[in-house]
Amino acid sequence: MKRLPALLLSLLLSAFGAQAAEVQVAVAANFTAPSQQIAAEFERQTGHHAALSFGATGKFYAQINNGAPFDILLAADDTTPEKLVKEGQGIAASRFTYAVGTLVLWSAKAGLVDDKASILRSGNFNKLSIANPKTAPYGLAAVETLNKMKLLDALQAKFVQGENIAQTLQFVSTGNADLGFVALSQVFKDGKLNSGSAWIVPADMHEPILQDAVLLNKGKDNPAASAFLEFLKSPYAHAVIKSYGYALR
């Protein structure tokens, strides 16, 4: 998507009586970095401001049901947006998969994790960080992976549970856990690992992490909300999303 010169954009907005508006977006923690980059360009191109809040999808679901003032949910799964639509909290026609997530076993220590995840089978570590599987889809994917490896029972005593995927990463980054299951997007950019060592979990080890966006009832008459969802489908946004290791559908 070409960026309009600021003066031309301003004139066009004035000509059509458009007013810059704000959209409140609840963003799954794994999508923090790409959403910040996308939101900044969205504001430059449209004049609208995207106010981003980050957290666990399950927590956002509870907050939305309790009246939280979000216009859009960018979930870490596809089931939560579907549930919100069925319960009358979201707009069915607005729902789409904006990214397909990738789970990774990561350690801040170089060489600790190999491409076969041998460290998990050996049990030669103290703590394994994992997001709460009840509220964080990446945590559920991690549990499914360990189940498939027949290691869940053996390793559960070593778990350090994060409230969301951001806290899970923090436990590993600060050394409170030797390794952890996090989103590839948190430790990967432009085709390479930022630091440490990692095993990218094969997609057949867990259910697909389809991350859906949905327009919530509060945002249905907000022009900035509709514009943000459209921008999320733009070539610019797609390039950013792929640069963090996500796939697209």
Side-chain angles (χ1 to χ4, degrees):
M1 178 178 286
K2 287 187 177 179
R3 181 178 164 187
L4 289 171
L7 180 58
L8 177 58
L9 178 61
S10 176
L11 289 171
L12 284 172
L13 288 173
S14 299
F16 289 97
Q19 299 268 334
E22 181 172 88
V23 52
Q24 299 284 337
V25 189
V27 183
N30 73 87
F31 202 64
T32 296
S35 68
Q36 288 171 329
Q37 194 172 331
I38 289 166
E41 184 64 18
F42 170 71
E43 184 163 358
R44 281 193 290 268
Q45 290 199 25
T46 68
H48 297 311
H49 174 66
L52 309 177
S53 300
F54 307 105
T57 295
K59 292 256 180 166
F60 281 135
Y61 171 75
Q63 290 169 7
I64 290 163
N65 273 320
N66 285 319
F70 296 120
D71 298 297
I72 289 170
L73 172 65
L74 301 186
D77 63 8
D78 59 344
T79 55
T80 302
E82 181 182 25
K83 204 187 316 183
L84 287 166
V85 167
K86 284 180 178 174
E87 293 169 354
Q89 298 271 26
I91 311 301
S94 71
R95 199 176 133 229
F96 68 96
T97 300
Y98 66 90
V100 181
T102 300
L103 185 69
V104 63
L105 179 70
W106 179 74
S107 173
K109 301 171 187 173
L112 186 66
V113 180
D114 64 16
D115 61 4
K116 294 185 177 65
S118 306
I119 186 78
L120 288 178
R121 299 187 189 283
S122 72
N124 223 6
F125 60 92
N126 289 321
K127 296 295 179 185
L128 171 66
S129 184
I130 183 171
N132 184 349
K134 292 180 180 175
T135 58
Y138 280 82
L140 179 59
V143 168
E144 289 171 350
T145 297
L146 290 172
N147 253 329
K148 188 123 184 182
M149 297 174 78
K150 297 182 170 45
L151 293 174
L152 184 61
D153 291 341
L155 296 180
Q156 256 180 318
K158 294 177 182 277
F159 283 3
V160 177
Q161 187 168 283
E163 182 179 307
N164 55 45
I165 203 71
Q167 189 177 54
T168 304
L169 177 71
Q170 186 181 20
F171 286 147
V172 186
S173 300
T174 56
N176 288 307
D178 302 292
L179 61 162
F181 283 102
V182 300
L184 181 62
S185 58
Q186 295 173 293
V187 296
F188 178 92
K189 181 73 169 70
D190 295 328
K192 60 184 181 183
L193 200 63
N194 296 335
S195 62
S197 54
W199 170 58
I200 296 177
V201 179
D204 63 358
M205 299 290 284
H206 57 78
E207 289 296 312
I209 305 172
L210 303 179
Q211 303 197 194
D212 277 14
V214 68
L215 179 67
L216 302 169
N217 285 352
K218 180 186 173 289
K220 64 183 178 183
D221 297 319
N222 183 347
S226 301
F228 186 82
L229 286 174
E230 281 308 306
F231 192 75
L232 203 53
K233 301 173 185 176
S234 70
Y236 174 84
H238 281 179
V240 171
I241 291 167
K242 288 194 286 188
S243 76
Y244 282 91
Y246 294 97
L248 295 168
R249 289 197 105 187

